[in-house]
Coordinates of all heavy atoms in Angstrom, one line a residue:
L4 N 5.2 -3.8 14.2 CA 5.7 -3.4 12.9 C 7.1 -4.0 12.8 O 8.0 -3.6 13.7 CB 5.8 -1.9 12.7 CG 6.3 -1.4 11.4 CD1 5.5 -1.9 10.2 CD2 6.4 0.1 11.4
V5 N 7.4 -4.8 11.9 CA 8.8 -5.4 11.8 C 9.6 -4.6 10.7 O 9.0 -4.3 9.6 CB 8.7 -6.9 11.2 CG1 10.1 -7.4 11.0 CG2 7.9 -7.7 12.3
L6 N 10.8 -4.3 11.0 CA 11.6 -3.4 10.1 C 13.0 -4.2 9.9 O 13.4 -5.0 10.7 CB 11.9 -2.1 10.8 CG 10.7 -1.2 11.0 CD1 11.1 0.0 11.9 CD2 10.1 -0.7 9.8
P7 N 13.6 -3.9 8.7 CA 14.9 -4.5 8.4 C 16.0 -4.0 9.2 O 15.9 -3.0 9.9 CB 15.0 -4.3 6.9 CG 14.3 -2.9 6.8 CD 13.2 -2.9 7.7
P8 N 17.2 -4.6 9.0 CA 18.4 -4.2 9.7 C 18.8 -2.7 9.5 O 19.2 -2.0 10.4 CB 19.5 -5.1 9.3 CG 18.8 -6.3 8.8 CD 17.5 -5.7 8.2
R9 N 18.8 -2.3 8.2 CA 19.3 -0.9 7.8 C 18.1 -0.1 7.5 O 17.4 -0.5 6.5 CB 20.3 -1.0 6.7 CG 21.6 -1.6 7.1 CD 22.6 -1.7 6.0 NE 22.1 -2.7 5.0 CZ 22.3 -4.0 5.1 NH1 22.9 -4.5 6.2 NH2 21.9 -4.8 4.1
L10 N 17.8 1.0 8.2 CA 16.7 1.8 8.0 C 16.9 3.0 7.1 O 17.9 3.7 7.2 CB 16.1 2.3 9.3 CG 15.7 1.2 10.4 CD1 15.1 1.9 11.6 CD2 14.7 0.2 9.7
T11 N 16.1 3.2 6.1 CA 16.1 4.4 5.2 C 15.5 5.5 6.0 O 15.0 5.4 7.1 CB 15.3 4.2 4.0 OG1 13.9 4.0 4.3 CG2 15.8 3.0 3.2
A12 N 15.7 6.7 5.5 CA 15.1 7.9 6.2 C 13.6 7.7 6.3 O 13.0 8.1 7.3 CB 15.5 9.2 5.4
S13 N 13.0 7.2 5.2 CA 11.6 7.0 5.3 C 11.2 6.0 6.3 O 10.2 6.2 7.0 CB 11.0 6.6 3.9 OG 11.0 7.7 3.0
A14 N 11.9 4.9 6.4 CA 11.6 3.9 7.4 C 11.8 4.5 8.8 O 10.9 4.1 9.7 CB 12.6 2.7 7.3
R15 N 12.7 5.4 9.1 CA 12.8 6.0 10.4 C 11.6 6.9 10.6 O 11.1 7.0 11.8 CB 14.1 6.8 10.5 CG 15.4 5.9 10.5 CD 16.6 6.7 10.9 NE 17.0 7.6 9.9 CZ 17.9 7.3 8.9 NH1 18.4 6.0 8.8 NH2 18.2 8.2 8.0
T16 N 11.1 7.5 9.6 CA 10.0 8.4 9.7 C 8.8 7.6 10.1 O 7.9 7.9 10.9 CB 9.7 9.2 8.5 OG1 10.9 10.1 8.2 CG2 8.5 10.1 8.6
L17 N 8.6 6.5 9.4 CA 7.5 5.6 9.6 C 7.5 4.9 11.0 O 6.5 4.7 11.7 CB 7.3 4.6 8.6 CG 6.9 5.1 7.2 CD1 7.0 4.0 6.2 CD2 5.5 5.7 7.2
R18 N 8.8 4.6 11.4 CA 9.0 4.1 12.8 C 8.5 5.0 13.8 O 7.8 4.6 14.8 CB 10.5 3.7 13.0 CG 10.7 3.1 14.4 CD 12.2 2.8 14.6 NE 13.0 4.0 14.4 CZ 14.3 4.0 14.5 NH1 15.0 2.8 14.7 NH2 15.1 5.1 14.3
A19 N 8.9 6.3 13.7 CA 8.4 7.3 14.7 C 6.9 7.4 14.7 O 6.3 7.6 15.7 CB 9.1 8.7 14.3
A20 N 6.3 7.4 13.5 CA 4.8 7.5 13.4 C 4.2 6.3 14.2 O 3.2 6.4 14.8 CB 4.4 7.6 12.0
A21 N 4.8 5.1 13.9 CA 4.3 3.9 14.5 C 4.4 3.9 16.0 O 3.4 3.5 16.8 CB 5.0 2.6 13.9
L22 N 5.5 4.4 16.5 CA 5.7 4.6 18.0 C 4.7 5.5 18.6 O 4.2 5.3 19.6 CB 7.1 4.9 18.3 CG 8.2 3.9 18.1 CD1 9.6 4.5 18.1 CD2 8.1 2.8 19.1
R23 N 4.5 6.6 17.9 CA 3.5 7.6 18.4 C 2.1 7.0 18.4 O 1.3 7.3 19.4 CB 3.4 8.8 17.5 CG 4.6 9.8 17.6 CD 4.3 11.1 16.9 NE 3.9 11.0 15.5 CZ 4.8 11.0 14.5 NH1 6.1 11.1 14.8 NH2 4.4 10.9 13.2
R24 N 1.8 6.0 17.6 CA 0.5 5.4 17.5 C 0.4 4.2 18.5 O -0.6 3.7 18.7 CB 0.3 4.9 16.1 CG -1.2 4.5 15.8 CD -1.4 4.1 14.4 NE -1.2 5.2 13.5 CZ -1.5 5.1 12.2 NH1 -2.0 4.0 11.7 NH2 -1.3 6.1 11.4
G25 N 1.6 3.9 19.2 CA 1.5 2.8 20.1 C 1.9 1.4 19.6 O 1.7 0.5 20.3
L26 N 2.4 1.3 18.4 CA 2.8 0.0 17.9 C 4.1 -0.4 18.5 O 4.9 0.4 18.9 CB 3.0 0.1 16.3 CG 1.7 -0.1 15.5 CD1 0.8 1.1 15.5 CD2 2.2 -0.4 14.0
R27 N 4.3 -1.7 18.6 CA 5.5 -2.3 19.0 C 6.4 -2.4 17.8 O 6.0 -2.9 16.8 CB 5.3 -3.7 19.7 CG 6.6 -4.4 20.1 CD 7.2 -3.7 21.3 NE 8.5 -4.4 21.7 CZ 8.5 -5.2 22.6 NH1 7.4 -5.6 23.3 NH2 9.7 -5.8 23.0
I28 N 7.7 -2.0 17.9 CA 8.6 -2.1 16.8 C 9.6 -3.3 17.0 O 10.2 -3.4 18.1 CB 9.5 -0.8 16.7 CG1 8.5 0.4 16.4 CG2 10.4 -0.9 15.5 CD1 7.7 0.3 15.2
V29 N 9.8 -4.1 16.0 CA 10.8 -5.1 16.1 C 11.7 -5.0 14.9 O 11.3 -4.9 13.8 CB 10.1 -6.5 16.0 CG1 11.2 -7.6 15.9 CG2 9.2 -6.8 17.1
E30 N 13.0 -4.7 15.2 CA 14.0 -4.5 14.2 C 14.9 -5.6 14.1 O 15.4 -6.1 15.1 CB 14.8 -3.2 14.4 CG 13.9 -1.9 14.4 CD 14.8 -0.6 14.6 OE1 16.0 -0.6 14.2 OE2 14.3 0.3 15.2
A31 N 15.2 -6.1 12.8 CA 16.2 -7.1 12.6 C 17.5 -6.6 12.9 O 17.8 -5.3 12.8 CB 16.1 -7.7 11.2
T32 N 18.5 -7.4 13.3 CA 19.8 -7.0 13.6 C 20.8 -7.6 12.5 O 20.7 -7.1 11.3 CB 20.2 -7.5 15.0 OG1 20.0 -8.9 15.1 CG2 19.4 -6.7 16.1
A33 N 21.6 -8.5 12.9 CA 22.6 -9.0 11.9 C 22.0 -9.9 10.9 O 22.4 -9.9 9.7 CB 23.7 -9.7 12.6
S34 N 21.0 -10.7 11.2 CA 20.4 -11.7 10.3 C 19.2 -11.1 9.6 O 18.7 -10.1 9.9 CB 20.0 -13.0 11.0 OG 19.0 -12.7 12.0
A35 N 18.8 -11.8 8.5 CA 17.7 -11.4 7.7 C 16.4 -11.5 8.5 O 15.5 -10.6 8.3 CB 17.5 -12.2 6.4
V36 N 16.3 -12.5 9.3 CA 15.0 -12.6 10.1 C 15.4 -12.4 11.6 O 16.3 -13.1 12.1 CB 14.4 -14.0 10.0 CG1 13.1 -14.1 10.8 CG2 14.2 -14.3 8.5
P37 N 14.7 -11.5 12.4 CA 15.0 -11.4 13.8 C 14.9 -12.8 14.5 O 14.0 -13.6 14.2 CB 13.8 -10.5 14.3 CG 13.5 -9.7 13.1 CD 13.6 -10.6 11.9
E38 N 15.9 -13.0 15.3 CA 16.0 -14.3 15.9 C 14.8 -14.8 16.6 O 14.2 -14.1 17.4 CB 17.2 -14.3 16.9 CG 17.5 -15.7 17.5 CD 18.8 -15.7 18.4 OE1 19.3 -14.6 18.5 OE2 19.0 -16.8 18.9
G39 N 14.3 -16.0 16.2 CA 13.1 -16.5 16.9 C 11.8 -16.0 16.3 O 10.8 -16.6 16.6
L40 N 11.8 -15.1 15.5 CA 10.5 -14.5 15.0 C 9.8 -15.5 14.1 O 10.4 -16.1 13.2 CB 10.9 -13.2 14.1 CG 9.8 -12.2 14.0 CD1 9.4 -11.6 15.4 CD2 10.3 -11.0 13.1
G41 N 8.6 -15.7 14.5 CA 7.8 -16.6 13.7 C 7.8 -18.0 14.3 O 6.9 -18.8 13.9
S42 N 8.7 -18.3 15.2 CA 8.7 -19.6 15.8 C 7.8 -19.7 17.1 O 7.3 -18.7 17.5 CB 10.2 -20.0 16.3 OG 10.5 -19.0 17.3
P43 N 7.4 -20.9 17.6 CA 6.5 -20.9 18.7 C 7.1 -20.1 19.9 O 8.3 -20.2 20.1 CB 6.5 -22.5 19.0 CG 6.8 -23.1 17.7 CD 7.8 -22.2 17.0
G44 N 6.3 -19.3 20.4 CA 6.7 -18.5 21.5 C 7.5 -17.3 21.2 O 8.0 -16.6 22.1
W45 N 7.5 -16.9 19.9 CA 8.3 -15.7 19.5 C 7.8 -14.5 20.1 O 8.6 -13.5 20.4 CB 8.3 -15.6 18.0 CG 7.0 -15.1 17.4 CD1 6.0 -15.9 16.9 CD2 6.6 -13.8 17.2 NE1 5.0 -15.1 16.5 CE2 5.3 -13.9 16.6 CE3 7.1 -12.5 17.4 CZ2 4.6 -12.7 16.2 CZ3 6.4 -11.4 17.1 CH2 5.1 -11.5 16.5

């Protein structure tokens, strides 16, 4: 589950639900797209 840099309260709630379910969480940091995401070997 990919999430944006700034999380709303709902996004944090869904992140917690996803973690409980065993999903891997990828959060963007400073840039719009997490570095390397979507490129070969990401």
